[in-house]
């Protein structure tokens, strides 16, 4: 079984590959103590991206919107992600091998989690559902909050 570090590293590689396939240039920060895992160079600005690994049940992706700082295996502090620290939260779902792109504007002042659905609800609820398909890449995810976001780099 992979360690948490190995899972995180794999998720970062999967997200980086997905972003490159969408036409973006990525940058990787040196070292471990950054509030983001990679940056996107869209030709005019750098966007900070925090990457998370998860494993869905194939119907719902649960996204943790926080991180724990550990000392000797004990939680020292919990930090909730906000637009102060990152521009995007991207979750790689190991079950489906798909990325879910979440604009930091959706995180508010520090949510603990967000849920995204692959499939319909059992009670046919339609309102206030976040669909994975609406967050499959940067452009579609940006459109969910009214942003026009396209590749502008060379």
């Amino acid at each position: 079984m992979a360690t948490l570090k190995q899972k995180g590293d794999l998720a970062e590689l999967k997200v980086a590959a997905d972003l490159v396939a969408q036409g973006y240039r990525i940058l990787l920060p040196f070292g471990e103590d950054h509030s983001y895992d990679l940056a996107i160079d869209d030709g005019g600005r750098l966007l900070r991206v925090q990457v998370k690994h998860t494993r869905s049940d194939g119907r719902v992706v649960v996204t943790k919107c926080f991180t724990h700082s550990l000392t000797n295996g004990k939680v020292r502090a919990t930090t909730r992600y906000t637009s102060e620290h990152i521009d995007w939260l991207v979750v790689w779902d190991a079950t489906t091998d798909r990325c879910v792109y979440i604009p930091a504007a959706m995180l508010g002042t520090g949510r603990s989690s967000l849920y995204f659905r692959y499939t319909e609800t059992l009670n046919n609820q339609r309102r206030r559902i976040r669909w994975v398909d609406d967050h499959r890449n940067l452009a579609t995810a940006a459109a969910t909050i009214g942003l026009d976001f396209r590749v502008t780099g060379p």
Side-chain angles (χ1 to χ4, degrees):
M1 178 180 268
T3 66
L4 289 176
K5 172 83 171 108
Q6 290 169 326
K7 288 178 181 179
D9 289 347
L10 178 59
E12 287 178 33
L13 288 171
K14 292 288 191 168
V15 169
D18 195 58
L19 286 165
V20 169
Q22 291 178 54
Y24 296 100
R25 292 183 175 184
I26 60 160
L27 303 135
L28 302 173
F30 178 77
E32 295 290 323
D33 296 325
H34 298 280
S35 60
Y36 57 93
D37 294 314
L38 56 92
I40 300 167
D41 179 352
D42 79 345
R45 61 193 163 174
L46 298 179
L47 302 167
R48 303 160 298 170
V49 178
Q50 176 62 44
V51 175
K52 288 291 191 188
H53 174 284
T54 195
R55 186 170 290 283
S56 74
D57 63 2
R59 295 174 304 186
V60 178
V61 176
V62 179
T63 304
K64 293 180 183 175
C65 303
F66 62 89
T67 187
H68 292 304
S69 297
L70 303 175
T71 301
N72 296 326
K74 296 184 179 181
V75 175
R76 189 179 84 223
T78 299
T79 303
R80 294 184 190 273
Y81 300 122
T82 68
S83 58
E84 281 184 36
H85 304 103
I86 61 172
D87 301 300
W88 289 88
L89 178 62
V90 183
V91 180
W92 176 66
D93 178 9
T95 303
T96 61
D97 193 24
R98 289 184 68 182
C99 296
V100 180
Y101 290 84
I102 306 162
M106 289 181 70
L107 303 174
T109 58
R111 302 180 92 113
S112 60
S113 58
L114 286 168
Y115 298 80
F116 295 85
R117 295 198 63 89
Y118 285 110
T119 62
E120 300 287 331
T121 62
L122 295 177
N123 65 359
N124 295 317
Q125 179 181 342
R126 297 268 186 243
R127 295 176 55 177
R128 298 183 359 179
I129 300 291
R130 292 181 195 93
W131 298 102
V132 169
D133 282 347
D134 293 337
H135 294 268
R136 68 186 180 276
N137 60 44
L138 282 175
T140 57
T144 66
I145 60 167
L147 294 174
D148 183 22
F149 195 90
R150 294 174 233 177
V151 178
T152 57

